Amino acid sequence: MSRSTRVSGLARVKRKPDIDVSELLQGLREVLPAQAVITDEASLRAWECDGLPLYCELPLAVVMPREADEVAAVMSLCHRLDVPVVPRGSGTGLSAGAMPHPEGIVISLAGLDRIVDTDPANRVARVQPGVTNLSISEAAAAHGLFYAPDPSSQIACSIGGNVAENAGGVHCLKYGLTVHNVTGLTLITAEGETLTLGGSGLDTPGPDLLALMIGSEGLLGVVVEITVKLLPLPASVAVIMAGFDTVAAAGDAVGAVIAAGILPAGLEMMDALAIQAAEDFAGAGYPREAAALLLCELDGSDAEVAEQCAAVSALLHDAGASHVEMATDSATRQRLWRGRKSAFPAVGRLSPDYYCMDGTIPRRHVAQILAEISDMAGQSGLRVANVFHAGDGNLHPLILFDASKPDEIRRAEALGARILERSVELGGCITGEHGVGLEKLAQMSVQFSNAELLQLEAIKVAFDPSLNLNPGKGIPVLKRCQEYRALPQRHHHG
Amino acid sequence: MADCSSELRDAVLEAIAVQSPLRIAGAGSKAGYFGREIEGTPLDVTAHCGITDYQPDELVISARAGTPIAQIQAALAGQDQMLPAECPLFGGAATLGGSVACNASGPGRPWRGALRDSILGLGLINGRGEILRYGGQVMKNVAGYDVSRLQAGAQGTLGVITDVTLRVVPKPAREITLAYTLPAAAALARMVTLAGLPGPVSGACWIGNTLYLRASGTAAGVEDFRRRQGGDLVSDKAPWKALDTLDNAPFSGTAPLWRLSVAPSSPLSGAEPDMIDWGGALRFFAGGHDPVAMQDAALAAGGRAQLWRGGDRHSDVNGPMSSVEKKLQQRLKEALDPGGIFNPGRLFSDG
Ligand SMILES: Cc1cc2nc3c(=O)[nH]c(=O)nc-3n(C[C@@H](O)[C@H](O)[C@H](O)COP(=O)(O)OP(=O)(O)OC[C@H]3O[C@@H](n4cnc5c(N)ncnc54)[C@H](O)[C@@H]3O)c2cc1C
Ligand SMILES: Cc1cc2nc3c(=O)[nH]c(=O)nc-3n(C[C@H](O)[C@H](O)[C@H](O)COP(=O)(O)OP(=O)(O)OC[C@H]3O[C@@H](n4cnc5c(N)ncnc54)[C@H](O)[C@@H]3O)c2cc1C
C-alpha cells in the first residue's frame, strides 16, 4: 500500500498542511544526535502502529531523545514550526494512541530509561518515562517494596505510557490504578516548557493537575519524569482458583466475596474459550471443562491471609464452585497466574487476529453482559473469548477475526462498538484502562454530550493552544462528530 | 433532600448575565480555612442534598453536593462500610461538595487514599451554565480527561459540584489505637520505619508528646500487630477525630495554622510541629511563622506549605507557583469558567 493511499481520520484534522519538512529535519538534527533522528521509510515502518495494528500511519520522522532537555528542545521546535507530535513509550497501547500522525513526528521516550532515585524511607521512586513497569518493582524489591499497578503487559510497557493511559492491572482492585500510585510528574508542555506537579508529599494546593495529566493519552504534555509510590511487599500471599459450571455462578461468587467485606488484591475471571486457550498456551492447571474460572488473590499478614482464605473458600464452595485450588507458595501462585497473564497472546493463537475491548460495567451486570456478548457474537458469526478484571467490572472481550478478510474486520469493529454501547447502557463506560486513542473516538459521543465534549476540547486548548500534541486522538473534534459516528477509515497492514 | 440543580444552574446563569462573581458555599465549615478570603454573592449549595444511590454490593455511593458528610457516614456505617478518606467533619457541618472541593482527607490518607482517590465521577455546573457529567459509577473509567478529580483542591474555582459518586470500602472487622510517650523526632522515626513494613497500620500521628498508631483489619491481623508493637491500648479515638471536633490543640482556638504536606521521612528542622499526621507526611505549625521560612522548609522537604487557617487571608495562603504552572492554571480556569464567576481569587491572588 503506498503512502498516498494510507489516508486515515487524522489527515483531516491537521489544519496547516504546509510543513517545511527540510527545515523540520534540519532543526531536529541541530538539537539531537544524528542517530536519534530516523527518517528512512524502512525504519519508520517499525513505528507505524501500536498494539492495535488495525490502524497504521507513517510519520515524517521518529526522534529518540535521551534526556528531558532534548525533549524540551524538540517540543519547542515543533511548536515553532507548528508540527504535530505523537509521544510514544513502548507501543503496547491497545487504542492506537501512539499511532503516528502522517504530517508529524513521533517522539519516542524509550531512551529515557533510568530509575533516577529509589527512596525507601519515603517509599517513592523517581523514574524516567521509558522505564518498564516491571523493572520498577524489580528495583524496589531490594527494599521490600513494590509498585502496585501491574498491567499484563508489564514486561514491555513503559511507566510513561502507563501514566498516559492511567493503566490498571490485576492488583488494582485493592491498590488502585496509576492515578492512585503516582505522587509527582514532570512534563514538557506543547510549547516546550517544563511543568512540575506534585512531589514526594501526598498533596499540593490547587486543582488536581496530576489527576488531569494521568490518563490524558499524551494530549496535554509529554511526561519526562514520574515519582511513583512504592508499597511494602505483603508478608503473605495466597491465590485461590475456582472453576464454575456456569458463568452466572462465577459472577455471583464475585459479588458474594465483595459483599462479605473482603477486598482481595485481585479478582479475575475467564470464560471457557479463554480457559482452554490459556491452558493450551501456559499449562497453568486450569479445569478445561469449566464454563468460568475465578482467580482470587489475598494478601496481608500470615494471620490475615489464613483468615481470609478460609472465608473465601467457603464462599466459593457455597456459590457452587466445582473445582477449587489454593496456593500459598510462590511457584504454584505463579503457575496459576501464568495462564491469566498470558491470556491475550494465548487467545491470539486461536485466530489470525484478535481485537481487545475494554468496557466497564457495574459488577452486578457481569453475568448478564457476558450472555449478551455471546448472543451478539453468534449474530456476527465471530467468536469472543472473555478475560477480565471481575472485581472492578472491567471487561476484556477478545473478538477473534481474520484481518485479511475486509468483511470480518467490519464485523469485528461493529461487534466491538455494540459491546461498548451496551456497556454504557448498563451504567458503565467505553474504556476502563486502554484509553480512547483513535479507536474509540466514535463511542465518545455515546458516553458524553456535546457540551461535555466541548469542555474537554477547551481543556485541551488550555494546554495545547496549537493542537499539536497527539492531535486527532482521545477526544473527537466536534464539528466532525457525524463523520466520527460513521467511523473513520481504517487500514490494516500486512 | 431536594434536587435543586436547576435553581443552582439558574443562579449561575444569572451571575454570568450580570458578570457578578459567586462565592460557592457548603456549610461554610471551611470558611476561614484552606483558601483566601474572597468577595462574591453567596451561592448556597446546602439545600441541594440527599443520597441519591447507594449500592453496598458495588461499593458505590452517590449523593448531592450539599449532603452532610456525617449523613453519608451514617448511611455507610449501617452497612458496615465507610469512606476510605474519612473526610473530616470540621465541627460537624462539612458537606460532600465542600470536602471534595478541598480534597479534605482524614488520618488514614497514606494507607487508604485521599478523598480524590475515591472519586468515581461527578456532576459540575461550568462557567457557561452547563450541567456536565464526568466519570461514572464504575471503578475504572479512562474516557476523556479526569475532570472529576480535577475538582479536588480547586476549592470551587472551576465550577459548582452538583453531585459526587464515591467508592466506599468495607469497615475493618477490628480497629485499635496504641499510644507511646515519645518526643517528635523519635515518633517520626518510628512512623517511617513502620510505614516501610507490611502491616495493618491505618493511622500514625504525633500530638502532645505522644505517638498514636492505629491498626485496622481482621481480628487476627490486628491482634498480631498489637503483640509485636507493644504500647498502651487506648480507647481514646480523639487523635483520629481532631478535625471532626476541632476542640483540641492545635485546632481549637483561632491561632494561625500552617499546614505542610511533605515527604514523610524529611527531618524535623527549625520549629517543632504542633502535630504530625499521615505517618510524617503532614505537619501542622500553630502561631505566627515567617511565610518565606515555612515555604522554604516545605520545599526542602519535597512538599508545599499552606497558611491553612488564620493569618493574612488576603495573602497568597497557598504559596508560590512556578510561572509555567500559573499560566496553565489560569488558562484552565478560563477553559472552565470563561467569565471568572466562580470564587475568583480563592486560590491565588492573581487568578
Ligand atoms: C476549623 C476548621 C478546620 C479545617 N480543617 C481542614 C483540614 O484539616 N483539611 C481540609 O482539607 N480542610 C479543612 N478545613 C477546611 C474546611 O474549610 C473544608 O472547607 C470543609 O470540608 C468544607 O465543607 P463545607 O461543606 O463546610 O464547605 P465550605 O466551607 O462551605 O466550602 C469549602 C470550599 O469549597 C467550596 N465549595 C463548597 N461546596 C462546593 C460545591 N458544591 N461545588 C464547588 N465548590 C464548593 C467553597 O467555595 C469553598 O472554597 C477546615 C475548616 C475549618 C473551619
Ligand atoms: C498483551 C497486552 C496486555 C495488556 N494488559 C494491560 C493491562 O492489564 N492493563 C492496562 O491498563 N493496559 C494493558 N495493556 C495496554 C498497554 O500495555 C497500556 O496501555 C500501557 O500503559 C501502554 O504503555 P506503552 O509504554 O506501551 O505506551 P504506548 O503504547 O507507546 O503509548 C500509549 C499512549 O501513551 C502516550 N504516551 C506514551 N508515553 C508517553 C509519555 N512519556 N508522555 C506522554 N504521553 C505518552 C502515547 O502518545 C499513547 O497515546 C496491554 C497491552 C497488551 C499488548
Side-chain angles (χ1 to χ4, degrees), chain A residues 203, chain B residues 8 23-35 38 43 45-46 65-67 69 87-91 93-105 124 151 154-157 159-163 243 246 251 253 257 259 282 284 308-309 343 346:
Chain A
D203 58 20
Chain B
L8 290 172
R23 184 164 54 78
I24 307 169
S29 76
K30 302 173 190 67
Y33 291 73
F34 287 103
I38 52 167
L43 178 67
V45 182
T46 52
T67 313
I69 290 291
C87 305
L89 299 180
F90 291 113
T95 63
L96 177 59
S99 299
V100 167
C102 295
N103 189 25
S105 310
L124 184 77
Q151 305 308 318
Q155 294 192 27
T157 55
V160 182
I161 299 165
T162 56
D163 56 84
L243 287 174
L246 301 174
F251 303 112
L257 265 181
R259 177 189 188 275
L282 186 61
F284 286 98
W308 191 69
R309 176 183 78 188
N343 288 356
R346 169 89 175 154

Side-chain angles (χ1 to χ4, degrees), chain A residues 122-123 173 179-180 191 193 200 202-203 206 208 233 304 307 363-364 389 394 431 433 452 455-456 462, chain B residues 57-58 116-117 126 128 133-134 140 142 149-150 153 167 195 218 220 259 261 264-265 327 331 335:
Chain A
N122 289 311
R123 302 176 313 286
L173 180 60
V179 71
H180 303 108
E191 295 156 295
E193 296 179 311
S200 309
L202 292 171
D203 58 20
D208 197 337
L233 282 162
E304 273 173 320
E307 196 174 321
R363 198 170 31 227
R364 63 184 176 280
H389 310 297
N394 187 189
T431 172
E433 58 184 19
E452 287 156 356
Q455 182 64 78
L456 294 177
Chain B
D57 287 359
E58 298 279 338
R116 63 84 102 161
D117 290 315
N126 69 3
R128 293 176 202 83
R133 204 150 272 294
Y134 292 100
K140 293 162 86 177
V142 296
R149 287 198 178 86
L150 178 65
R167 179 186 191 185
T218 64
R259 177 189 188 275
S261 178
S265 84
K327 177 172 77 180
R331 286 195 201 154

Side-chain angles (χ1 to χ4, degrees), chain A residues 24 34 49 96 155 173 176 209 319 407 443:
Chain A
L24 169 68
C49 65
I155 302 172
L173 180 60
L209 292 189
D407 177 53
Q443 284 79 33

Side-chain angles (χ1 to χ4, degrees), chain A residues 216-256:
Chain A
S216 66
E217 305 194 18
L219 269 79
L220 302 182
V222 181
V223 178
V224 292
E225 190 174 286
I226 303 108
T227 304
V228 297
K229 205 159 102 177
L230 302 175
L231 300 176
L233 282 162
S236 177
V237 182
V239 176
I240 303 177
M241 173 185 79
F244 290 86
D245 296 337
T246 65
V247 168
D252 290 346
V254 169

